[in-house]
Amino acid sequence: MPEGTITWEPSARRVRGTKGDTTVVDSRRPILVWEPGQAVPLYAFPREDVRTDLLRPAAAPETGRHSGSEVFYDLVLEDGETVADAAWTFPGEELAGYIAFEWFQRVGRGLDHWFEEEEEIFIHPRDPYKRVDALLSSRHVQVEIGGVVVADTRTPVLLFETRLPTRYYIPRKDVRLDLFTPTELRTGCPYKGTAEYWSLADQGAEVPPNIAWSYPDPIPAAQAVRGHIAFYNEAVDIIVDGERLERPVTNFSSSLKAQREPAR
């Protein structure tokens, strides 16, 4: 599609969004919208499927975001709680009858919980053009940090995710967890679930914190990685069947580098 073009398509999924105990949107006619320059889609909903009685023209709209949108709404709940700039409409006539919402877990404001049918989804809608395949493998996978082998397995799970490098999930028993310390970080993924993290106990090895993660209770589609541990290929050395892989450059690379460098 030409640069700067909003694209969208209808979805057959029932989608609900809530704030606290209040259902703000419940739609069987949502659309998926891809904004220019954004890697993931968002949902927008017919105005009739939205609790518009809870929306007020934004007191201080942050115009210019969301493809140049100029109409923003504050969400005002019945108990008086107000969420600024929680919703908006897109410019132009094509999507004039639709309202979109921010997702709290993605930007820190907006609706708290989202459901496709009866399954809760996190961070952003799942992209129908993105695949996540977790496959059992017999490859010999080793992970090295600073020349030390911290994981060694012949029963990994390889996770193939569109536009990301292959992630090598290693059974917990094959990871030197005595070299790591669990952290408080938790992140959500709409394709896998909620992840927990570990940092290397000896930070002198020049790796960023939260270098390893696991999904203790993944969603049904990613059950094969349950309890396995993966490492950022971007910051550790991974050897597969005797071949040392190049470290990929991804959208995680800059943030990992920033975490590793001391503050100035």
Side-chain angles (χ1 to χ4, degrees):
M1 298 296 295
E3 274 191 43
T5 300
I6 297 177
T7 60
W8 64 275
E9 64 180 51
S11 172
R13 305 182 187 202
R14 179 191 179 192
V15 177
R16 290 172 291 137
T18 65
K19 177 65 177 175
D21 295 328
T22 302
T23 298
V24 179
V25 57
D26 186 345
S27 180
R28 292 169 173 79
R29 303 171 297 161
I31 61 173
L32 279 166
V33 180
W34 286 264
E35 294 186 285
Q38 297 299 311
V40 297
L42 53 84
Y43 275 122
F45 308 93
R47 185 175 291 269
E48 312 87 77
D49 297 340
V50 173
R51 286 283 306 272
T52 54
D53 60 303
L54 301 178
L55 300 181
R56 306 286 186 273
E62 297 181 12
T63 57
R65 296 180 299 114
H66 296 299
S67 306
S69 297
E70 297 183 352
V71 178
F72 286 82
Y73 298 98
D74 294 341
L75 175 66
V76 183
L77 300 178
E78 292 172 347
D79 63 3
E81 179 184 1
T82 299
V83 182
D85 287 333
W88 72 92
T89 61
F90 291 100
E93 297 182 0
E94 190 174 26
L95 300 179
Y98 292 87
I99 297 176
F101 288 85
E102 299 286 13
W103 290 37
F104 180 83
Q105 291 178 325
R106 182 166 178 81
V107 298
R109 68 168 180 272
L111 303 193
D112 296 327
H113 297 282
W114 289 92
F115 301 86
E116 291 178 345
E117 300 299 333
E118 299 304 317
E119 184 175 325
E120 186 169 5
I121 53 175
F122 307 94
I123 312 300
H124 61 79
R126 298 167 185 162
D127 190 328
Y129 299 104
K130 183 182 182 78
R131 286 188 63 94
V132 178
D133 296 309
L135 304 181
L136 302 178
S137 175
S138 60
R139 295 189 187 221
H140 183 198
V141 177
Q142 298 171 294
V143 179
E144 286 186 2
I145 297 178
V148 176
V149 176
V150 300
D152 189 332
T153 188
R154 293 182 183 273
T155 57
V157 173
L158 274 54
L159 190 133
F160 302 93
E161 185 169 352
T162 306
R163 297 192 181 95
L164 284 176
T166 304
R167 299 301 190 190
Y168 298 89
Y169 282 79
I170 298 171
R172 191 172 296 231
K173 65 181 178 60
D174 294 333
V175 178
R176 289 281 310 276
L177 277 177
D178 58 302
L179 301 176
F180 296 85
T181 302
T183 75
E184 296 182 355
L185 179 64
R186 299 293 184 271
T187 61
C189 170
Y191 306 103
K192 296 183 286 292
T194 300
E196 59 187 11
Y197 287 79
W198 288 264
S199 289
L200 192 67
D202 177 13
Q203 284 300 300
E206 296 188 354
V207 294
N210 302 302
I211 192 64
W213 71 90
S214 178
Y215 290 94
D217 188 22
I219 66 172
Q223 281 298 305
V225 303
R226 177 186 290 270
H228 287 53
I229 296 174
F231 296 80
Y232 279 109
N233 313 39
E234 297 88 339
V236 302
D237 293 312
I238 295 182
I239 301 97
V240 179
D241 293 335
E243 179 183 354
R244 188 176 299 269
L245 305 184
E246 291 188 14
R247 294 187 183 183
V249 177
T250 71
N251 55 332
F252 296 105
S253 299
S254 57
S255 60
L256 289 167
K257 181 179 179 182
Q259 292 177 64
R260 187 171 64 244
E261 293 177 343
R264 296 178 179 177

